[in-house]
């Protein structure tokens, strides 16, 4: 300490300070048990959803051997009357299809005898064998087929993606809800705030870190589900990436809400609990009320978050109403993906702005 | 340089800081002295951008903290109350976090970090997660981080509070050694002795108001208030006690035991000689007549009493 004191250091720009804040916030989460807990939840949920159906006699794929086909005479619009044998599975591997007529193999012969027709219709696969009109078909007693079938990526992914909105809430509770309020309650603000760093910079670094942690966990979930889908459903749904993007948008919106709550409250526990219950129970109850009242509440962020899983469905579900008698109607509302994206964006932007203002004004008193 | 101009902070009913005007010149060590609740921490919190002021200005190196906190705090190291640290970081990692925010390179931080941790005798803990460090360890680490970027101004709020006697001595030694390095130091304390030992000047504050601000040297010479212990060879009758009480420049006279009383006296040495003569004129045979307590302490106590 005997050395001469030289000119002091140049304070970095606000923008250059953000990554520093971000890094040490990330380090905080990596060293806390919260990341482990979140990963454990991901592991358990993935295992349960993936392993339970096969355990309960509902595997993801298999081979149907010599299944009897119900043959109908139909005009499928091609002008040529055909015999149609429909297959009672959503997705089958056409390459493995073998047809037997009265126990004898009856090959396709490049479409001379029959062709395999597969298409998506109303969210359900439509798989059928179209038999060419010929003599044999008119006097057979039984037609059977053997084929490999599998779960289509859409329904495979739907099993898992329904959990994403809860996973987002878990992430936000673990990685965002007490990020701001902790500096006040744990008195670490006394160390951090007297530095030449703007509150807005601290806010940005912290917010980015909270979102990063959520993206890591949610991204891992989507990644593993995609891998499982390739293995068990022979591919990934075409809307899967859109679902992921909506999930990230929901994560950002929920983080902004958590920050807002956290900048209003004094204690970390209160902030954690209120954030969790608001997103997990209070808003969903509001959404539930709309089922009976018939009022579509598009401004609810949890309602908008429904789009994360609906987007997988082809076609996208439409609002409907069911009369259950005694003057009661039950409504099913679905957010349109565009509206959902806008609503979540608004929550993100407004939540951020409000909590930033509150955080800047908050005093480290007492 | 630190300038406070008519600084005021109201907490609902309480005026924690009341029209405080004060200037800490460059390279000086100024003690901010006052009893608990005087408004020291509140003043320092305003100076370090932890709370806002109700009115007035707080200026560091010519920059207003309230309007441009980032620029104002660029050349400042601060310890406010006993700060808490991030428990998941080690002291060295903490210094890296703060050092990066302050524009230091990782190499600078590692080099300076060793020096400052050494300075506060925390070297052996530099790689241990702070987690449950004792208050004393945290206090020393707090001083280390304040020194890290070699700031021009050091603002220390009760830097020895919460330390054991040995820790207090060590921290005082540290601050004294910093004085040799051209720091501008503004240090609060409720201990007069500490301020007297470390600082060049003392600013006395009570109930948010600045009572007196002068160099320690000057304060010592101007202090007239003293407590004088008077011992006699016989019991002092009550009527003589009341006579003493009404003598010129006597604030009070209180019996300690039948033959001893203490006079609180506010006068020059010449007037003190007159006091002794006057007491003897009352027929008392004085065997002892000597000042008790330190004059500055007396002044401190008196000023605080008066401002109540
Ligand atoms: N957040 C607060 N709310 C209300 N009163 C406060 C607050 N902080 C401090 N005070 C009051 O302001 C006065 C000054 O406190 P403080 O600055 O902490 O004194 P010191 O540091 O000199 O002991 C005290 O009366 C204290 O009770
Ligand atoms: Mg204090």
């Amino acid at each position: 300490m005997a050395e001469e004191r030289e000119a002091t250091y140049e304070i970095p720009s606000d923008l250059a300070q953000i990554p520093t804040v971000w890094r040490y916030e990330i380090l905080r989460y990596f060293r806390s048990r919260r990341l482990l807990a979140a990963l454990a939840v991901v592991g358990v949920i993935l295992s349960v959803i993936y392993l339970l159906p096969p355990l309960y006699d509902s595997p993801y794929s298999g081979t149907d051997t010599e299944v009897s086909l119900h043959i109908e005479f139909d005009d499928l619009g091609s002008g040529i009357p055909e015999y149609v044998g429909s297959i009672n599975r959503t997705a089958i591997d056409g390459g493995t299809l073998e047809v037997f007529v009265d126990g004898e193999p009856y090959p396709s012969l490049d479409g001379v005898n029959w062709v395999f027709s597969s298409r998506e219709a109303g969210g359900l696969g439509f798989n059928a064998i179209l038999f060419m009109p010929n003599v044999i078909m008119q006097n057979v007693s039984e037609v059977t087929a053997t084929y490999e079938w599998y779960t289509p990526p859409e329904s495979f992914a739907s099993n898992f993606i329904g959990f994403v909105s809860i996973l987002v809430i878990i992430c936000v509770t673990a990685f965002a809800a007490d990020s701001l309020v902790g500096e006040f309650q744990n008195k670490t603000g006394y160390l951090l705030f007297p530095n030449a760093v703007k509150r807005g910079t601290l806010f940005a670094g912290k917010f980015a870190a909270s979102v990063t942690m959520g993206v890591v966990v949610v991204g891992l979930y989507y990644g593993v589900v995609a891998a499982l889908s390739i293995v068990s459903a022979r591919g990934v749904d075409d809307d899967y990436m859109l679902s992921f993007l909506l999930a990230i948008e929901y994560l950002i919106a929920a983080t902004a809400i958590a920050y807002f709550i956290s900048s209003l409250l004094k204690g970390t526990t209160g902030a954690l609990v209120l954030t969790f219950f608001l997103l997990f129970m209070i808003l969903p109850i509001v959404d539930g009320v709309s089922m009976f009242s018939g009022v579509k509440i598009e401004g609810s962020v949890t309602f908008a978050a429904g789009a994360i899983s609906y987007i997988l469905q082809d076609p996208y579900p439409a609002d409907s109403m069911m009369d259950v008698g005694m003057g009661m109607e039950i409504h099913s509302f679905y957010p349109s993906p565009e509206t959902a994206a806008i609503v979540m964006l608004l929550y993100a932007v407004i939540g951020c702005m409000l909590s930033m203002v509150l955080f800047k004004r908050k005093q480290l008193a007492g | 340089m630190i300038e406070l101009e008519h600084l005021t902070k109201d907490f609902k009913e309480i005026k924690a800081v009341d029209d405080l005007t004060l200037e800490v010149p460059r390279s000086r060590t100024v003690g901010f002295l006052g009893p608990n609740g005087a408004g020291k921490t509140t003043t320092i919190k305003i100076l370090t951008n932890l709370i806002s002021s109700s009115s007035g200005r707080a200026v560091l190196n010519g920059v207003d903290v309230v309007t441009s906190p980032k620029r104002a705090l660029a050349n400042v190291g601060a310890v406010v109350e006993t700060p808490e640290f991030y428990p998941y970081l080690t002291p060295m990692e903490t210094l890296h976090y703060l050092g990066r925010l302050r524009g230091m390179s990782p190499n600078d931080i590692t080099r300076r970090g060793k020096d400052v941790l050494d300075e506060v005798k925390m070297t052996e803990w530099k790689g241990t997660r702070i987690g449950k460090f004792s208050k004393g360890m945290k206090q020393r680490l707090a001083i280390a981080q304040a020194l890290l970027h070699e700031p021009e101004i050091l603002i220390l709020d009760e830097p020895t509070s919460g330390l054991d006697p040995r820790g207090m001595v060590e921290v005082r030694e540290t601050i004294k050694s910093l004085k040799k390095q051209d720091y501008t130091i503004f240090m609060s304390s409720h201990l007069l002795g500490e301020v007297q030992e470390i600082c060049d000047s003392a600013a006395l504050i009570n109930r948010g108001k600045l009572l007196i601000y002068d160099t320690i040297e000057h304060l010592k010479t101007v202090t007239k208030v003293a407590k004088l212990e008077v011992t006699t060879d016989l019991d002092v009758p009550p009527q003589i006690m009341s006579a003493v009480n009404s003598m010129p420049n006597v604030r009070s006279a209180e019996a300690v035991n039948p033959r001893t009383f203490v006079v609180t006296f506010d006068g020059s040495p010449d007037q003190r000689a007159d006091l002794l003569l006057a007491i003897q004129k009352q027929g008392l045979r004085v065997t002892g007549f000597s000042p008790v307590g330190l004059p500055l302490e007396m002044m401190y106590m008196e000023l605080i009493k008066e401002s109540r």
Side-chain angles (χ1 to χ4, degrees), chain A residues 1-18 20-25 27-29 31-32 183-184 186-199 201-202 206 361-366, chain B residues 9 11 26 45 48-52 69-70 73-76 78 80-86 88-90 93-94 96-98 100-104 108 111-112 115-116 119 129 145 147-152 178 181-183:
Chain A
M1 289 293 295
E3 83 231 52
E4 276 288 293
R5 286 202 316 114
E6 287 156 28
T8 37
Y9 306 88
E10 176 125 8
I11 299 293
S13 71
D14 297 342
L15 222 51
Q17 285 175 322
I18 293 176
T20 304
V21 178
W22 177 84
R23 259 184 41 208
Y24 283 87
E25 284 289 309
L27 188 59
R28 163 160 96 108
Y29 296 123
R31 288 187 178 174
S32 75
E183 298 288 351
F184 296 89
N186 305 332
K187 286 188 147 198
T188 45
Y190 285 103
L191 182 71
L192 192 60
F193 299 161
N195 286 284
V197 53
K198 288 184 185 152
R199 292 269 178 104
T201 305
L202 297 174
K206 281 170 169 287
R361 290 174 40 167
K362 193 153 177 159
Q363 314 255 312
L364 232 175
Chain B
K9 176 71 184 181
F11 287 117
R26 232 203 101 110
K45 279 183 178 176
T48 49
N49 189 32
L50 293 175
I51 59 174
S52 60
K70 186 175 176 184
L73 290 166
N75 221 343
V76 175
V80 188
E81 299 207 319
T82 301
E84 278 303 326
F85 289 84
Y86 300 103
Y88 48 89
L89 297 180
T90 67
E93 286 168 341
T94 305
H96 271 267
Y97 183 13
L98 299 174
R100 291 313 293 272
L101 286 179
R102 296 168 189 171
M104 300 172 75
D108 286 339
R111 180 183 52 79
R112 264 299 282 178
D115 286 350
V116 293
E119 178 83 33
R129 294 222 185 138
Q145 65 78 29
L147 301 175
L148 178 67
H149 55 311
E150 300 164 86
E152 203 177 298
L178 295 176
Q181 300 169 53
D182 193 34
Y183 281 98

Side-chain angles (χ1 to χ4, degrees), chain B:
Chain B
M1 186 161 91
I2 304 172
E3 294 156 281
L4 305 178
E5 290 169 18
H6 303 289
L7 193 68
T8 301
K9 176 71 184 181
D10 301 307
F11 287 117
K12 294 189 185 99
E13 288 110 62
I14 310 164
K15 255 192 166 39
V17 179
D18 191 356
D19 195 26
L20 189 65
T21 298
L22 180 78
E23 188 181 305
V24 180
R26 232 203 101 110
S27 306
R28 301 285 297 197
T29 300
V30 172
F32 194 37
L33 183 63
N36 286 333
K40 306 181 294 294
T41 300
T42 305
T43 306
I44 284 177
K45 279 183 178 176
I46 296 170
L47 266 175
T48 49
N49 189 32
L50 293 175
I51 59 174
S52 60
S53 60
S54 303
S55 63
R57 276 168 27 107
V59 179
L60 292 163
N61 286 331
V63 185
D64 192 316
V65 196
V66 177
T67 56
S68 340
K70 186 175 176 184
R71 262 196 321 130
L73 290 166
N75 221 343
V76 175
V79 178
V80 188
E81 299 207 319
T82 301
E84 278 303 326
F85 289 84
Y86 300 103
Y88 48 89
L89 297 180
T90 67
M92 205 48 161
E93 286 168 341
T94 305
L95 295 181
H96 271 267
Y97 183 13
L98 299 174
R100 291 313 293 272
L101 286 179
R102 296 168 189 171
M104 300 172 75
S105 73
N107 285 341
D108 286 339
I109 299 168
T110 306
R111 180 183 52 79
R112 264 299 282 178
K114 279 190 190 129
D115 286 350
V116 293
L117 288 178
D118 206 36
E119 178 83 33
V120 298
K121 304 197 168 56
M122 286 293 289
T123 308
E124 71 175 294
W125 304 102
K126 74 172 184 214
T128 310
R129 294 222 185 138
I130 295 167
K132 293 206 161 50
F133 275 17
S134 71
K135 193 172 178 200
M137 291 161 86
K138 287 177 185 165
Q139 187 76 13
R140 285 185 287 161
L141 189 52
I143 293 172
Q145 65 78 29
L147 301 175
L148 178 67
H149 55 311
E150 300 164 86
E152 203 177 298
I153 297 177
L154 277 179
I155 298 175
L156 309 172
D157 184 25
E158 309 248 9
T160 60
S161 80
L163 300 181
D164 60 19
R166 194 173 53 108
M168 289 173 104
V169 171
E170 283 171 5
V171 166
R172 285 177 197 151
E173 289 308 316
T174 305
I175 299 172
K176 278 197 261 181
S177 76
L178 295 176
K179 285 178 69 176
K180 299 187 194 110
Q181 300 169 53
D182 193 34
Y183 281 98
T184 304
I185 303 175
F186 187 54
M187 177 191 119
S188 83
S189 173
H190 64 280
L191 301 171
L192 172 76
E194 184 169 283
V195 170
Q196 245 180 305
E197 181 186 338
I198 299 173
C199 302
D200 308 319
S201 307
L204 225 133
I205 173 181
N206 194 32
R207 315 205 126 214
K209 280 199 163 71
L210 186 67
L211 303 180
I212 194 165
Y213 179 31
D214 215 329
T215 62
I216 302 288
E217 288 315 308
H218 198 239
L219 285 174
K220 276 180 182 163
T221 56
V222 297
T223 307
K224 294 184 296 179
V225 181
K227 271 198 192 326
L228 298 163
E229 192 177 71
V230 183
T231 318
T232 61
D233 65 346
L234 291 169
D235 290 1
V236 184
Q239 67 270 24
I240 293 187
M241 277 306 291
S242 57
V244 173
N245 238 322
S246 51
M247 283 174 184
N249 301 316
V250 170
R251 291 250 179 100
S252 66
E254 284 154 37
V256 178
N257 61 48
R259 294 184 186 182
T260 310
F261 59 94
V262 171
V263 181
T264 304
F265 186 74
D266 181 5
S268 64
D270 200 37
Q271 291 165 324
R272 202 187 294 180
D274 290 341
L275 174 71
L276 177 58
L277 286 172
I279 291 172
Q280 287 170 322
K281 261 202 198 119
Q282 293 291 324
L284 290 180
R285 285 158 50 86
V286 175
T287 57
F289 183 79
S290 59
V292 288
L294 295 163
L296 272 180
E297 241 158 53
M298 291 296 310
M299 174 202 69
Y300 182 33
M301 297 313 295
E302 285 299 314
L303 282 173
I304 289 166
K305 231 187 268 169
E306 276 169 27
S307 75
R308 262 177 214 227

Side-chain angles (χ1 to χ4, degrees), chain A residues 30 108 168 182 220:
Chain A
F30 269 87
S108 165
V168 165
L220 184 78

